[in-house]
């Protein structure tokens, strides 16, 4: 679902990511700060996308 040649290798993963994670993840990738005047319901998943580790099933 995500393509970024040279930064994200094609692979299969069973990691769970929610639409709520897009804002914290994208802000981390581009170096932007999240707003502090409201709660952000999401988690930075950039490590999940850029990791070269194989998943537990060993499919990638």
């Amino acid at each position: 679902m995500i393509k970024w040649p040279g930064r994200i290798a094609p692979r299969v993963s069973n990691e769970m990511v929610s639409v709520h994670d897009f804002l914290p993840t994208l802000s981390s990738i581009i170096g932007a700060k999240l707003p502090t005047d409201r709660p952000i319901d999401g988690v930075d998943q950039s490590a999940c996308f850029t990791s070269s580790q194989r998943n537990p099933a060993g499919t990638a």
Side-chain angles (χ1 to χ4, degrees):
M1 305 266 315
I2 296 175
K3 184 176 180 178
W4 191 0
R7 293 290 299 238
I8 298 176
R11 65 185 179 105
V12 175
S13 175
N14 292 322
E15 297 290 331
M16 291 184 66
V17 177
S18 170
V19 69
H20 304 292
D21 299 330
F22 288 173
L23 178 62
T25 301
L26 294 175
S27 68
S28 172
I29 289 171
I30 66 171
K33 292 185 179 183
L34 289 173
T36 57
D37 62 339
R38 67 199 85 170
I40 302 296
D41 188 18
V43 177
D44 175 8
Q45 297 287 351
S46 57
C48 169
F49 297 136
T50 59
S51 174
S52 60
Q53 294 180 333
R54 297 172 65 89
N55 70 13
T59 57

